[in-house]
Amino acid sequence: MMQTIKRFWKIISKPSNHLSFGFLTIGGFIAGIIFWGGFNTALEVTNTEEFCISCHEMSDNVYVELQDTVHWQNRSGVRATCPDCHVPHKWTDKIARKMQASKEVWGTIFGTINTREKFLEKRGELAQHEWDRFTANNSLECKNCHNYNSMDFDIMSERAQVQMKMAAERDQSCIDCHKGIAHHLPEHMNSGDGTLAKLEEMATSGYKTGNSYYSVRQLPLFTDKTLGTEAGQLNAATKVTILAVEGDAIQVEIDAWRKTKGFGRVMFEDFAMNINDGFLTKEVAQSDQYMQKGESKVDDLTGLPWQKVEVKLWMRNSSLTESRDTLWTFAKSTYDVSCSVCHTQPAENHFDTNTWPGMFNGMLSFVNLDGDTQALVLKYLQKHSSDFSEESH
Amino acid sequence: MSISRRSFLKGLLASSGAALVGPGLLQVAHAATAEEAGKWKVSGSHWGAFRARVYAGKVQEIKPFNVDKYPTDMLNGIKGIIYSPSRIRYPMVRYEWYLNRDKSDTTKRGDNRFIRVTWDEAITLFHDELERMQTQYGPWALHAGSTGWRQTGQFHACGNHMARAIAMHGYSVNKVGDYSTGAGQTIMPYVLGTTEVYAQGSSWPVILKESKTIILWADDLVKNLQVGWNCETHESFEYLEQLKDKIAKKEIRVISIDPVVTKTQDYLDCEHQYINPQTDVPFMLAMAHTLYKEELYDKKFIDTYALGFEEFVPYLLGETKDKVEKTPEWASAICGIKADDIREFARLLVKQRTQIMVGWSIQRQQHGEQPYWMAAVLATMMGQIGLPGGGISYSHHYSSVGVSSTGAAGPGGFPRNPDKPDNRIHKNQDFNGYSSTIPVARWVDCILEPGKKIQANGATITLPDVKMMVFSGCNPWHHHQDRNNMKKAFHKLETVVSIDFTWTATCRFSDIVLPACTQWERNDLDLYGSYSARGVIAMHKLVDPLFQSKTDFEIFALLAGKFGQQQDYTRGKTEMQWVEELYNDCATANKAGFEMPDFNTFWKEGFVDFGKGEDWVRQADFREDPEINALGTPSGFIEIFSRKIDRYGYKECQGHPMWFEKSERSHGGPGSDKHPIWLQSCHPNKRLHSQMCDSQQFRETYTVKGREPIYLNAQDAQHRGIKSGDLVRVFNLRGQLLAGAVISKNYPTGVARIEEGAWYAPIDESIGSLDTYGDPNTLTQDIPTSELAQATSANTCQVEYEKFTGKVPAVTAFNGPNEVA
């Protein structure tokens, strides 16, 4: 075997003795065209929906799900085929995507997702790949058809207007908000009463070191990148700065203040403001290993000493968003609807930051809010309280 | 169960003065045979759920709902509400106003002369006036924010309908707080971190198991648990029955601290600690003094869970400005309890597991913040907050608090806010320098003293110059104080609109009156059990709206139609579509935990039962981990001293709880030389505030010569030559009323009770005219509790009474308007 390879290498590495330079170059060119054509034709075949659904993993799962959505059937009769959304229109991107997709072919051959159960189990990972790609290209395939500039905001619903105008200003990636519109969402994102899913839909994906993000809900914190030892919990709508990305784990920094009566376990957004950023386990709160301690001062209104800390911990690379605006919009509409069933809800700036927790807790008996939404709405109220509002009330 | 239930009800009836008044509910239910003609339907109310037999388009009889084991006899008043002579039959307009509109002679307001108009004309007038306010003045001139105990039903909730329609038209003045708990809900977030008054309390089974002593501080559970904010289940009464049993067996001591022997004390057969009215704070301070001096208080608990004790102690010891040590001897002279008894009581509090339950009436008095704050300080010194069967609560008498919550979601309501806030007709948000939100009980001050600046909860409020008011299912001529002062204010209003089903005094003093139907003339649904969330109850329309009345939904849809937004108002949905949607949304919210049948099945069966919840201990999480489960106070700890309140610099609510003398007080207090009797105007036993006063037959079971009863001490009455059954004139410098004397051993000297909610029935519209039925707010004073809460002080009220000897005037309250043809 070794001999054969060596002989072949000798032949192709030697200059040609028999064929003219012209034949070699022109012939090579022609052969290239033929090969290129064939390759592209073959490639194009893989870009048709027929090819996509020729394996049952696609035809039995995502293809069926698509048929219940507006991208399959709508008033105007325009429909999106698989490649419209999933194959980049630029050649280099296309090739790159094909390289990635070979994994799915591998999957088909070896039966990684050959049953519905296996597929559902894998769905989160598969979906994440697509979302990462959409995030990276700013949802280019969506924008091939849906253009911010061509949107008529006036005929949108009130809430959509607010959201879409904000998104348009920042040329936001469509997938940030519109996950799960063509296929079902992964299992864990559909749990509970749907609120969690709504919050999760606001998360961006693909986090960059050095950038800051906000948690869409309460999230566990860990001591190291194995995400094995719990270090506490990040509250909803809390700012974190990414220090490192390691596979599924990210290291984050939380700039917070804490009260030093007790173990100093609770992190607050700012000095003397009871805006909860989350809490730490007693071990982490008492250790110097996970935080940089800063200045200390006493809050005059309670007499309690506070200390500034930069906490560095690890968490899963999910459920973070670039801006709190969408979270606030959700929180405001929840507040306006849920908290006006019994009485007119007080204006956000009717109370100050540290009064809101008491007022809010006193009203919770009659509202149907899960823990994540409660935390988010309370933070919204605090961040829009009289301390942050310019107009007097 | 049925035997004990009957004996329970018998106990209830025997113990109340109203035992004389006629057969109890169960007897009525027994008297009716099940086979009578008609159709049985399910509905609900603040008084509980029931089944009604409807025949020939009329409600024939009412039977308690089978899940309700302890129905209130107020269910006997329901039919009388529907078929009351007070029902508003047609849209009506005050005659003088109809002729001259905003140039009308407003001193004639209250003369009860009205003219009948068509619905279209009435809605047009209503709309014209809203337009005039927005264009001629601005949003500051319109106050449409007052609300009350709407009829039950989540979809038809009248306050929601009014708020949505008015907000779609333009902005207006709004309120914060309520009349029931204004002082409590404002002070407690500073001290314990929630309103407390509206918070779920420890579960009764835990209390019954763990408590050795229960202190009922001005807390009449048996009277007040008859009604609930949503459809009441009366599940609490099962536990009260067990408590009665444990008291008899001497397993639990219950002591009622109250000037009067309450219905609860009578029922439970528990102990009584008499106290002079309005002097709870001196008693509490002296007990704190004893605990401190005798070192009986829980130092460790205070160190871990509270702040500001060191700043409070000097006040106890007389080392601050007033230089008065708060000894039991000092308190005794004020509160009328012997010094040694105060010491004994203090020692009892820390001897064993003790649960304190505080009622709401002691915060509806001048400085009403103080007893609430001081009770929390006392409980903190006892160190039992967060322990099963220990600590303090301020809500166990309210809406089945203490019955474990199932955790199920209840149905939502009709949206109060506009769907498209930017589409409102008038976008002007300029309040002309006035405040847009006012403390609820200060609206009369707005009319009388516009532009005045007052302090309220850390803010400065500039009272808006209100020219027009809109009330829906809200009766301020019952719940506000000082009728004659209100008459002066109403002389200054240009337009008043009332939407109600019954001709309340508020309608009498209005210009445009629109007839709504009762809650039993429309389809709806409600949460069954406010805090327990026991289930969802259907409210089948029993009969069609009577006369020309309409549902609130229809009325405000008509108004929205006048400004072209009817479709947006209704979202294009009918009553039944809304009810079904609220049900389906509730089912979705409960998907994870509670199975709910489809809407049609629910509607047919009338009820979804979520069962019973799990036992729970209030503040146990805080006790377990005060850092993570911090309280909602500024510091996260119990605040015995509040630096925040201290910094406000208020006179009548300072950095820690204090004793302040009242403007009027009995038993030797200010004003008691001229008007020696303290008038208590607590929540009624036979009504829900002013609701059901118009139910004629039921009312006649407790009235005396057709008047509201005044409960009197025998010695006081004898001294004035008065016997039970006499008519008495009750008076002070603010007003005068007629009431019927009921002499009862439950009332000490210097104390009388007229229950609030008695309908105001002046002889005429003039200031100072005699109230012919007996509304206690003819006599109460309209002063704030303090600069902090600016809440009502109805229970700071001194009166005198005498036997009425003049020509007896007819009662003017219940026959609706005098129609001018």
Side-chain angles (χ1 to χ4, degrees):
Chain A
M1 186 62 185
M2 222 38 207
Q3 288 294 319
T4 324
I5 293 170
K6 276 184 177 161
R7 201 170 331 129
F8 181 68
W9 179 246
K10 256 184 193 161
I11 291 167
I12 62 162
S13 63
K14 267 200 317 201
S16 170
N17 293 335
H18 310 289
L19 302 171
S20 71
F21 176 76
F23 178 81
L24 278 177
T25 50
I26 296 167
F29 182 72
I30 292 166
I33 289 172
I34 293 166
F35 170 76
W36 174 237
F39 177 77
N40 255 352
T41 307
L43 193 70
E44 281 310 320
V45 169
T46 69
N47 283 347
T48 61
E49 193 158 87
E50 290 74 34
F51 177 81
C52 297
I53 57 169
S54 64
C55 65
H56 74 95
E57 283 81 358
M58 293 291 167
S59 70
D60 295 353
N61 293 308
V62 285
Y63 187 61
V64 188
E65 293 165 11
L66 174 71
Q67 294 172 18
D68 288 333
T69 75
V70 72
H71 283 99
W72 174 266
Q73 197 173 37
N74 47 53
R75 281 182 302 199
S76 40
V78 187
R79 71 151 290 218
T81 65
C82 310
D84 290 335
C85 303
H86 295 287
V87 181
H89 298 204
K90 244 167 84 187
W91 192 81
T92 46
D93 296 340
K94 200 184 286 189
I95 293 301
R97 174 72 187 98
K98 289 290 160 192
M99 304 295 276
Q100 285 172 6
S102 57
K103 218 170 160 187
E104 287 143 32
V105 178
W106 175 277
T108 285
I109 294 165
F110 291 93
T112 321
I113 49 171
N114 60 0
T115 65
R116 178 74 179 167
E117 288 68 38
K118 284 185 188 170
F119 172 77
L120 290 180
E121 213 169 289
K122 268 282 198 200
R123 190 202 283 274
E125 186 188 324
L126 298 171
Q128 194 61 50
H129 289 152
E130 270 309 271
W131 295 337
D132 286 347
R133 192 179 61 78
F134 275 106
T135 302
N137 73 8
N138 209 12
S139 300
L140 180 67
E141 287 75 38
C142 307
K143 289 174 180 171
N144 285 332
C145 296
H146 304 276
N147 192 324
Y148 281 123
N149 294 328
S150 312
M151 287 181 188
D152 183 353
F153 297 114
D154 289 341
I155 56 174
M156 293 180 184
S157 77
E158 202 77 11
R159 193 169 154 206
Q161 275 187 37
V162 177
Q163 300 277 2
M164 290 308 297
K165 279 180 188 166
M166 260 170 5
E169 276 167 22
R170 296 186 289 128
D171 191 25
Q172 195 175 350
S173 178
C174 311
I175 202 70
D176 284 358
C177 303
H178 295 281
K179 297 184 186 76
I181 54 163
H183 313 294
H184 296 178
L185 281 168
E187 198 73 359
H188 72 277
M189 285 174 65
N190 263 335
S191 62
D193 60 0
T195 318
L196 202 59
K198 271 184 219 149
L199 291 172
E200 283 294 355
E201 283 168 27
M202 295 177 197
T204 44
S205 41
Y207 306 115
K208 290 199 191 80
T209 305
N211 285 9
S212 293
Y213 301 88
Y214 296 89
S215 48
V216 298
R217 59 186 179 92
Q218 297 165 327
L219 298 165
L221 293 166
F222 301 90
T223 55
D224 59 52
K225 62 181 168 191
T226 64
L227 308 182
T229 312
E230 205 152 316
Q233 182 178 289
L234 193 69
N235 194 21
T238 301
K239 183 179 174 180
V240 296
T241 305
I242 310 278
L243 300 176
V245 180
E246 295 259 357
D248 284 348
I250 46 178
Q251 192 187 25
V252 295
E253 179 179 304
I254 308 150
D255 288 340
W257 284 81
R258 61 179 186 169
K259 298 171 187 175
T260 48
K261 176 171 164 137
F263 299 108
R265 291 165 61 198
V266 183
M267 301 178 285
F268 298 99
E269 191 172 302
D270 207 347
F271 170 68
M273 298 253 183
N274 293 337
I275 304 173
N276 195 304
D277 269 0
F279 63 84
L280 306 170
T281 59
K282 204 198 290 187
E283 294 69 36
V284 169
Q286 297 278 287
S287 161
D288 288 342
Q289 198 185 332
Y290 306 101
M291 68 186 73
Q292 190 92 40
K293 291 174 187 161
E295 63 171 313
S296 286
K297 48 184 175 173
V298 172
D299 167 29
D300 194 38
L301 268 184
T302 58
L304 293 177
W306 288 61
Q307 177 185 54
K308 189 168 168 42
V309 283
E310 291 165 19
V311 182
K312 294 181 178 67
L313 290 168
W314 290 81
M315 58 186 288
R316 220 172 286 285
N317 68 339
S318 63
S319 311
L320 299 173
T321 182
E322 281 169 19
S323 151
R324 279 204 277 214
D325 295 347
T326 46
L327 295 174
W328 291 161
T329 309
F330 172 77
K332 181 175 173 45
S333 77
T334 304
Y335 176 64
D336 285 349
V337 172
S338 298
C339 299
S340 65
V341 170
C342 307
H343 52 75
T344 301
Q345 76 284 8
E348 291 85 342
N349 62 1
H350 190 79
F351 300 111
D352 65 29
T353 307
N354 290 358
T355 300
W356 261 120
M359 298 315 297
F360 188 69
N361 294 342
M363 296 191 278
L364 281 179
S365 301
F366 286 101
V367 294
N368 312 318
L369 301 179
D370 60 69
D372 285 303
T373 315
Q374 279 177 23
L376 181 61
V377 172
L378 176 58
K379 202 171 224 180
Y380 161 77
L381 293 169
Q382 291 184 294
K383 288 295 287 180
H384 295 79
S385 69
S386 56
D387 293 321
F388 298 93
S389 160
E390 278 173 25
E391 79 186 79
S392 70
H393 181 71
Chain B
M1 177 54 89
S2 72
I3 290 165
S4 59
R5 178 175 117 208
R6 197 165 301 144
S7 61
F8 172 85
L9 278 171
K10 255 160 78 188
L12 265 188
L13 287 169
S15 63
S16 67
L20 325 158
V21 301
L25 183 67
L26 285 182
Q27 284 151 286
V28 172
H30 274 287
T33 59
E35 283 81 32
E36 289 194 56
K39 198 174 168 200
W40 288 92
K41 297 184 177 187
V42 177
S43 193
S45 70
H46 293 299
W47 300 279
F50 57 83
R51 291 179 189 277
R53 185 167 61 84
V54 182
Y55 179 66
K58 205 172 170 217
V59 178
Q60 304 289 343
E61 69 177 303
I62 303 268
K63 279 188 182 184
F65 191 55
N66 53 355
V67 179
D68 190 344
K69 302 292 182 233
Y70 302 90
T72 164
D73 78 338
M74 276 187 270
L75 283 184
N76 289 327
I78 301 253
K79 258 176 72 181
I81 292 178
I82 304 173
Y83 301 109
S84 165
S86 311
R87 281 293 297 264
I88 307 170
R89 297 164 183 227
Y90 319 106
M92 304 291 278
V93 177
R94 187 167 70 85
Y95 185 61
E96 167 66 22
W97 190 91
Y98 188 71
L99 299 178
N100 302 310
R101 297 283 186 99
D102 54 299
K103 314 274 184 312
S104 81
D105 178 0
T106 53
T107 65
K108 288 274 179 275
R109 203 174 258 132
D111 67 1
N112 213 23
R113 278 158 52 86
F114 281 79
I115 186 168
R116 188 174 154 183
V117 297
T118 63
W119 263 109
D120 187 58
E121 187 172 11
I123 296 285
T124 304
L125 289 171
F126 185 5
H127 177 244
D128 285 353
E129 287 301 289
L130 290 176
E131 276 292 308
R132 192 169 67 78
M133 287 300 130
Q134 297 289 354
T135 50
Q136 189 175 330
Y137 303 115
W140 47 269
L142 174 66
H143 185 3
S146 272
T147 46
W149 275 64
R150 82 284 188 271
Q151 303 187 85
T152 58
Q154 288 296 92
F155 167 59
H156 284 290
C158 59
N160 293 32
H161 286 276
M162 173 177 75
R164 181 173 171 88
I166 299 279
M168 287 170 71
H169 183 261
Y171 292 89
S172 58
V173 173
N174 221 323
K175 58 98 183 179
V176 66
D178 60 49
Y179 278 77
S180 299
T181 67
Q185 65 173 269
T186 308
I187 184 69
M188 293 321 290
Y190 290 94
V191 181
L192 290 179
T194 80
T195 65
E196 290 297 315
V197 291
Y198 296 132
Q200 173 65 298
S202 293
S203 307
W204 275 109
V206 177
I207 293 170
L208 289 167
K209 183 157 170 269
E210 305 286 346
S211 298
K212 291 284 174 280
T213 311
I214 297 174
I215 307 295
L216 301 177
W217 206 303
D219 205 7
D220 202 348
L221 306 161
V222 174
K223 167 166 69 72
N224 295 323
L225 286 168
Q226 295 179 98
V227 299
W229 176 251
N230 295 95
C231 189
E232 183 50 50
T233 60
H234 303 115
E235 292 163 283
S236 322
F237 285 91
E238 183 186 337
Y239 303 116
L240 289 173
E241 195 172 55
Q242 292 170 20
L243 181 59
K244 183 179 171 66
D245 191 46
K246 282 182 178 277
I247 293 169
K249 290 187 192 147
K250 301 204 180 306
E251 290 169 12
I252 297 183
R253 261 186 98 174
V254 175
I255 306 170
S256 166
I257 303 174
D258 207 302
V260 308
V261 174
T262 62
K263 188 179 182 183
T264 307
Q265 183 187 330
D266 259 343
Y267 166 69
L268 290 175
D269 199 13
C270 67
E271 297 168 58
H272 185 207
Q273 174 59 62
Y274 167 81
I275 185 169
N276 284 341
Q278 304 192 80
T279 63
D280 307 274
V281 172
F283 181 32
M284 291 171 184
L285 283 169
M287 287 201 283
H289 185 273
T290 302
L291 294 179
Y292 183 75
K293 281 289 186 182
E294 299 184 5
E295 298 200 19
L296 295 172
Y297 67 102
D298 192 334
K299 294 187 194 76
K300 198 162 164 255
F301 182 83
I302 291 175
D303 284 348
T304 317
Y305 299 99
L307 290 179
F309 187 62
E310 0 10 274
E311 289 152 294
F312 170 69
V313 168
Y315 174 75
L316 269 189
L317 301 180
E319 292 163 1
T320 51
K321 267 185 292 182
D322 67 348
K323 301 287 177 222
V324 176
E325 191 169 357
K326 310 303 176 301
T327 62
E329 283 73 17
W330 163 79
S332 178
I334 304 169
C335 70
I337 305 170
K338 286 196 200 108
D340 283 343
D341 291 352
I342 295 177
R343 289 193 181 88
E344 267 314 303
F345 209 108
R347 291 168 199 141
L348 170 70
L349 291 182
V350 291
K351 196 173 124 198
Q352 48 200 0
R353 193 61 60 81
T354 302
Q355 172 77 46
I356 300 177
M357 297 180 178
V358 188
W360 290 352
S361 56
I362 55 169
Q363 49 90 56
R364 287 194 303 267
Q365 56 175 245
Q366 198 184 13
H367 317 118
E369 296 89 350
Q370 304 303 317
Y372 263 43
W373 195 350
M374 190 55 216
V377 172
L378 202 54
T380 306
M381 291 177 78
M382 288 158 62
Q384 298 187 18
I385 289 172
L387 289 178
I392 188 162
S393 84
Y394 297 82
S395 57
H396 269 95
H397 58 281
Y398 177 62
S399 290
S400 72
V401 161
V403 179
S404 316
S405 306
T406 58
F414 183 71
R416 184 180 285 261
N417 299 306
D419 296 345
K420 299 172 186 168
D422 297 340
N423 280 10
R424 55 187 103 211
I425 305 295
H426 296 279
K427 297 174 174 59
N428 180 12
Q429 283 193 72
D430 182 1
F431 278 76
N432 198 26
Y434 300 120
S435 297
S436 58
T437 302
I438 58 165
V440 65
R442 298 275 64 85
W443 60 277
V444 170
D445 293 355
C446 294
I447 305 167
L448 289 171
E449 300 177 88
K452 183 182 173 184
K453 289 189 190 305
I454 62 168
Q455 294 302 309
N457 204 14
T460 301
I461 305 288
T462 308
L463 300 180
D465 191 2
V466 172
K467 310 254 183 221
M468 173 175 173
M469 295 201 68
V470 183
F471 302 104
S472 181
C474 176
N475 187 9
W477 284 80
H478 128 65
H479 65 231
H480 195 74
Q481 282 57 59
D482 197 345
R483 294 287 166 264
N484 288 309
N485 192 49
M486 287 176 74
K487 281 182 186 167
K488 284 179 211 157
F490 271 54
H491 290 172
K492 291 187 72 186
L493 285 173
E494 292 181 6
T495 304
V496 184
V497 180
S498 256
I499 301 100
D500 212 317
F501 64 86
T502 188
W503 197 263
T504 61
T506 302
C507 295
R508 174 192 296 244
F509 283 86
S510 296
D511 301 311
I512 302 171
V513 179
L514 305 177
C517 62
T518 72
Q519 64 191 84
W520 303 294
E521 293 153 44
R522 60 200 194 190
N523 292 303
D524 211 326
L525 81 175
D526 199 11
L527 179 62
Y528 190 52
S530 305
Y531 285 82
S532 60
R534 177 63 194 261
V536 180
I537 190 108
M539 296 174 68
H540 297 150
K541 181 202 272 193
L542 305 184
V543 291
D544 284 330
L546 262 55
F547 309 107
Q548 286 191 2
S549 66
K550 292 181 186 293
T551 66
D552 293 274
F553 177 58
E554 288 176 290
I555 294 171
F556 285 101
L558 284 176
L559 178 67
K562 283 282 171 214
F563 51 82
Q565 296 197 356
Q566 194 171 79
Q567 182 73 14
D568 282 352
Y569 180 82
T570 63
R571 292 185 185 165
K573 283 184 280 226
T574 63
E575 175 193 68
M576 275 318 280
Q577 284 172 327
W578 271 103
V579 173
E580 183 167 350
E581 183 176 301
L582 290 178
Y583 178 84
N584 289 337
D585 288 351
C586 177
T588 307
N590 281 322
K591 212 163 66 188
F594 300 88
E595 192 88 23
M596 289 173 71
D598 67 81
F599 177 73
N600 289 334
T601 310
F602 158 73
W603 194 249
K604 213 170 102 213
E605 291 174 2
F607 181 55
V608 180
D609 193 349
F610 297 138
K612 296 239 177 208
E614 291 193 6
D615 291 342
W616 180 78
V617 177
R618 176 145 193 85
Q619 281 137 349
D621 59 340
F622 168 66
R623 190 176 184 103
E624 192 195 306
D625 191 338
E627 215 174 352
I628 301 298
N629 306 313
L631 300 181
T633 57
S635 63
F637 298 95
I638 299 168
E639 298 207 2
I640 294 172
F641 188 97
S642 166
R643 292 191 182 197
K644 199 167 167 186
I645 293 179
D646 186 54
R647 301 292 154 86
Y648 294 157
Y650 297 156
K651 270 206 193 100
E652 300 193 307
C653 189
Q654 302 182 19
H656 58 77
M658 284 183 186
W659 162 243
F660 297 97
E661 184 55 275
K662 312 299 165 208
S663 66
E664 294 179 8
R665 188 168 65 77
S666 58
H667 300 86
S672 61
D673 49 339
K674 295 230 166 51
H675 300 99
I677 307 294
W678 176 60
L679 179 70
Q680 178 187 52
S681 54
C682 59
H683 189 272
N685 184 35
K686 298 282 178 184
R687 288 187 296 265
L688 165 60
H689 297 308
S690 67
Q691 294 185 45
M692 202 173 270
C693 197
D694 50 344
S695 183
Q696 190 175 342
Q697 223 180 336
F698 188 71
R699 183 178 70 245
E700 285 166 358
T701 62
Y702 60 83
T703 51
V704 177
K705 290 202 166 84
R707 325 285 151 155
E708 180 72 9
I710 179 168
Y711 298 94
L712 302 173
N713 167 265
Q715 213 182 314
D716 290 346
Q718 200 183 12
H719 184 64
R720 291 163 177 80
I722 291 165
K723 301 183 302 296
S724 271
D726 282 347
L727 275 189
V728 295
R729 189 179 78 97
V730 191
F731 60 93
N732 58 19
L733 297 178
R734 291 180 290 273
Q736 52 171 343
L737 61 81
L738 285 188
V742 176
I743 293 167
S744 160
K745 61 176 175 29
N746 290 349
Y747 294 82
T749 57
V751 172
R753 170 187 293 185
I754 304 178
E755 291 170 344
E756 49 98 344
W759 279 26
Y760 182 54
I763 284 185
D764 58 38
E765 70 279 12
S766 68
I767 286 168
S769 65
L770 182 70
D771 169 16
T772 59
Y773 180 71
D775 169 11
N777 280 319
T778 308
L779 304 165
T780 53
Q781 54 176 342
D782 184 7
I783 55 164
T785 52
S786 81
E787 309 95 307
L788 189 84
Q790 290 286 350
T792 177
S793 302
N795 281 323
T796 299
C797 179
Q798 290 298 116
V799 300
E800 176 57 290
Y801 60 85
E802 62 185 19
K803 189 165 171 174
F804 183 70
T805 50
K807 187 169 174 279
V808 179
V811 173
T812 68
F814 303 111
N815 290 319
N818 299 320
E819 196 176 330
V820 179

